[in-house]
């Protein structure tokens, strides 16, 4: 999955692993199905997997003659996960045909939503829970409930996860913090996931501005803020960095947007950050990181961390007095 509203960029991926008929003819089909379910359970543990589904002749939706496993993931992870499925299959006595596809249409996202699951960030600090999944007793106390609607920001993508880990890391003092943040700018807010996570993590944050060029994202962010009882701490607007009233700058700025926005808008984005405060950039492939860093690094903007997940990385800057 890449991460923009440009249709060429918005994509999800699926792996389809179909039982080779010769493998289950002559044996108890129920047993082959059980093992396929077992494989599904193992694959579902991988954090890059958004959900798994097994289909067979009795499945209510998408019944199919020959049992198969569908894995929902991102284009970045699809090759690696396909290999894993192929490797695991023989260890469970399964012979599978494994294929994969990337889907660019929005309707796919709505279907995929059915298979979404809760995730935990910051070593057990924060639960990210889809609105249609119940809490369990062992879940972290702090939680954000998300209904991504049609805006980006389910928390599955590496670029979002990197930001969530950095936010939890700031709370857990993995970064040198002078004072808890009072205000936040979430540039390219999508579903509002990062604004809401920050609001949950930092009680001090009562002035959160969530901005997205896509008006639908601003609407989804408002709905998610209400869903979480955080509506009074957040303002979601449709626009870009140039539409903002900066005042003294924000004490936390997060921008999960691709370099084609981050690089040309670098000066404007840096101007949103108050002195001594953090700027978190994400949506960057690791091989794009140095070009983005170059556009931001100055004596005033120190790169303090560049965490990576898969092919993606985030750049964490701190603005220090010049
Ligand atoms: C990768 S998504 C991030 C969503 C969410 N913040 C997250 O981390 O999951 C990037 C978002 O940036 C928005 N966007 C793209 N260009 C923008 C721009 N120039 N100004 C503001 N938002 C922009 C897109 O509409 C999209 O919702």
């Amino acid at each position: 999955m890449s991460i923009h509203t440009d249709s060429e960029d918005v994509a999800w991926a699926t792996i389809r692993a179909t039982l080779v008929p010769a493998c289950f003819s002559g044996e108890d089909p129920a047993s082959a199905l059980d093992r396929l379910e077992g494989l599904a359970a193992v694959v579902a543990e991988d954090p890059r997997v958004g959900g798994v589904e097994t289909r067979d002749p009795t499945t209510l939706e998408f019944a199919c003659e020959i049992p198969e496993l569908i894995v929902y993931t991102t284009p970045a992870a699809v090759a690696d996960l396909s290999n894993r499925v192929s490797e695991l299959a023989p260890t469970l006595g399964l012979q599978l045909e494994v294929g994969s596809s990337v889907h660019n249409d929005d309707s796919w996202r709505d279907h995929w939503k059915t298979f979404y699951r809760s995730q935990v960030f910051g070593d057990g600090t924060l639960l990210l829970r889809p609105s249609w999944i119940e809490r369990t007793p062992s879940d972290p106390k702090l939680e954000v409930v998300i209904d991504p609607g049609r805006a980006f920001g389910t928390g599955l993508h590496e670029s979002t996860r990197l930001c969530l880990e950095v936010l939890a890391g700031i709370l857990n003092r993995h970064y040198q913090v002078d004072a808890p943040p009072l205000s936040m700018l979430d540039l390219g807010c999508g579903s509002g996931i990062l604004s809401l996570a920050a609001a949950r993590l930092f009680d001090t944050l009562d002035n959160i501005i969530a901005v997205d060029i896509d008006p639908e994202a601003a609407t989804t962010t408002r709905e998610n803020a209400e869903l979480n009882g955080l509506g009074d701490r957040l303002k979601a607007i449709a626009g870009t960095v140039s539409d903002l009233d900066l005042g003294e700058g924000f004490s936390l700025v997060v921008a999960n947007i691709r370099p084609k926005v981050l690089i040309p808008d670098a000066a404007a984005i840096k101007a949103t950050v108050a002195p001594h405060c953090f700027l978190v950039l994400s949506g960057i492939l690791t091989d794009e990181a140095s070009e983005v860093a170059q556009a931001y690094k100055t004596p005033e903007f120190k790169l303090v961390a560049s965490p990576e997940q898969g092919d993606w990385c985030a750049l964490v800057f701190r603005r220090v007095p010049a």
Side-chain angles (χ1 to χ4, degrees):
M1 167 183 57
S2 183
I3 48 178
H4 282 272
T5 50
D6 322 37
S7 56
E8 72 190 46
D9 270 353
V10 177
W12 304 93
T14 47
I15 297 164
R16 168 170 279 139
T18 310
L19 278 177
V20 172
C23 143
F24 65 95
S25 62
E27 69 169 42
D28 175 12
S31 149
L33 258 178
D34 276 354
R35 282 177 279 126
L36 193 65
E37 298 275 6
L39 175 61
V42 174
V43 174
E45 292 295 317
D46 192 298
R48 298 165 299 174
V49 171
V52 294
E53 182 193 8
T54 48
R55 299 173 178 175
D56 63 68
T58 66
T59 316
L60 222 48
E61 203 183 358
F62 304 114
C64 62
E65 247 340 82
I66 300 173
E68 62 186 19
L69 163 67
I70 308 290
V71 180
Y72 295 82
T73 185
T74 64
V78 75
D80 206 33
L81 285 170
S82 297
N83 288 339
R84 180 146 165 74
V85 169
S86 301
E87 281 163 20
L88 283 170
T91 69
L92 292 164
L94 290 167
Q95 218 185 317
L96 298 176
E97 270 166 15
V98 181
S100 62
S101 337
V102 171
H103 311 269
N104 288 290
D105 59 312
D106 264 3
S107 61
W108 190 262
R109 187 176 300 188
D110 288 344
H111 174 63
W112 177 87
K113 184 175 150 180
T114 325
F115 306 98
Y116 191 71
R117 62 194 164 78
S118 297
Q119 296 176 80
V120 174
F121 294 90
D123 295 329
T125 304
L126 180 74
L127 176 73
L128 178 64
R129 182 167 67 83
S131 55
W132 55 94
I133 295 181
E134 293 297 318
R135 273 183 71 82
T136 66
S138 59
D139 283 339
K141 209 169 71 198
L142 293 181
E143 74 165 13
V144 170
V145 180
I146 277 289
D147 185 346
R150 300 178 79 77
F152 182 100
T154 57
L156 175 69
H157 196 270
E158 290 90 334
S159 66
T160 311
R161 292 213 305 259
L162 282 162
C163 294
L164 291 167
E165 290 294 351
V166 172
L167 292 174
I170 293 174
L171 178 80
N172 293 331
R173 305 243 156 210
H174 297 158
Y175 297 88
Q176 194 206 322
V177 183
D178 295 342
L182 302 174
S183 60
M184 174 189 185
L185 170 63
D186 177 4
L187 191 60
C189 59
S191 65
I193 185 169
L194 302 179
S195 294
L196 300 174
R200 214 37 115 206
L201 292 169
F202 304 103
D203 289 340
T204 48
L205 271 181
D206 62 0
N207 172 24
I208 301 173
I209 305 293
V211 188
D212 203 292
I213 200 164
D214 176 1
E216 201 171 354
T219 306
T220 303
T221 294
R222 263 178 237 122
E223 288 166 2
N224 279 321
E226 291 305 325
L227 186 66
N228 285 276
L230 295 169
D232 55 339
R233 293 167 62 194
L234 179 155
K235 191 171 164 204
I237 55 175
T240 69
V241 67
S242 54
D243 298 310
L244 295 171
D245 177 10
L246 292 186
E248 292 169 0
F250 295 89
S251 44
L252 179 61
V253 177
V254 182
N256 178 8
I257 317 187
R258 295 284 291 139
K260 67 183 175 192
V261 176
L262 294 177
I263 293 174
D265 285 358
I269 292 173
K270 282 194 281 187
T272 65
V273 186
H276 304 285
C277 296
F278 286 101
L279 167 64
V280 184
L281 304 178
S282 194
I284 305 163
L285 289 164
T286 46
D287 61 10
E288 300 165 337
S290 62
E291 199 189 343
V292 179
Q294 215 45 48
Y296 282 80
K297 256 198 291 194
T298 63
E300 221 183 334
F301 276 86
K302 295 241 178 295
L303 182 63
V304 296
S306 46
E308 294 182 8
Q309 277 192 27
D311 293 336
W312 297 85
C313 85
L315 300 175
V316 185
F317 289 91
R318 186 150 197 243
R319 182 173 180 178
V320 291

